[in-house]
Amino acid sequence: IELLMHQLQDQDNLSEADRGLLLERLEALERLQEAEVVLQPWLSGRTTPRELTLFKADLQRRNGQPEAARRSLQNLLRLHPNDPQVLQLLVLLNQEQGRHRQATAELTTRFKNLEPGQRLEVGLLLADLLRQGGSDQAAMNLYGQLARENMNDARPPLALALL
């Protein structure tokens, strides 16, 4: 790690593979602020892959920068409005900040604005959030609705059975 960090400081010119390896190692060692520093030049490029921006938002969240993480996630949602990974991280951020009702309301609105067949991922996340909030009956109803809408997907009936 130290060698890669030294190369980064000297040249700011690590290969993508080396930068990815360094990020993985820094994250594994919980050296999250250094990981954010390594990630920043990558994000300054012309187009940023969704995964890197999502990783940055997660680092910001874990580094105690919830509003920066929220901004990153909101920017991602403008480009990918119903991306399950982005929504999951936003829900986690809201829960960590005690905004369970806000997270539930936002997901409910997203779910209702989607057509059956397009809302499975959002619906599963919403049902899980309802369950975590103590609304088991609402979660069961939603799992049942998702099972009827997506008869070829085993996740809703499995979730219902586990509830």
Side-chain angles (χ1 to χ4, degrees), residues 11-98:
Q11 304 166 15
D12 200 22
N13 195 8
L14 285 178
S15 71
E16 278 194 33
D18 286 342
R19 191 176 298 269
L21 179 64
L22 180 56
L23 278 170
E24 286 176 18
R25 288 185 179 165
L26 288 171
E27 184 182 21
L29 294 172
E30 293 290 318
R31 292 170 60 177
L32 303 176
Q33 290 178 341
E34 290 170 293
E36 221 176 315
V37 169
V38 171
L39 186 59
Q40 192 55 49
W42 234 350
L43 296 173
S44 301
R46 28 195 195 288
T47 59
T48 304
R50 179 191 63 82
E51 294 81 12
L52 286 179
T53 306
L54 191 61
F55 184 63
K56 176 187 173 194
D58 189 39
L59 283 175
Q60 290 169 326
R61 178 190 66 80
R62 293 166 60 193
N63 274 328
Q65 304 166 0
E67 291 313 312
R70 186 175 307 284
R71 283 190 301 276
S72 295
L73 292 170
Q74 293 299 338
N75 287 337
L76 272 175
L77 283 175
R78 281 193 271 293
L79 298 171
H80 311 280
N82 297 305
D83 184 292
Q85 291 178 313
V86 177
L87 290 172
Q88 286 172 359
L89 189 53
L90 186 58
V91 164
L92 177 61
L93 182 63
N94 281 331
Q95 285 182 310
E96 288 176 346
Q97 293 186 304

Side-chain angles (χ1 to χ4, degrees), residues 109-127:
T109 300
R110 282 186 189 282
F111 178 78
K112 289 180 178 178
N113 288 333
L114 292 169
E115 296 293 321
Q118 297 179 339
R119 59 189 186 182
L120 176 63
E121 299 296 331
V122 173
L124 288 170
L125 182 57
L126 175 58

Side-chain angles (χ1 to χ4, degrees), residues 119-146:
R119 59 189 186 182
L120 176 63
E121 299 296 331
V122 173
L124 288 170
L125 182 57
L126 175 58
D128 192 43
L129 188 59
L130 289 168
R131 183 190 54 76
Q132 289 176 19
S135 300
D136 288 350
Q137 189 59 50
M140 286 175 31
N141 292 341
L142 185 52
Y143 285 134
Q145 179 182 350
L146 292 170

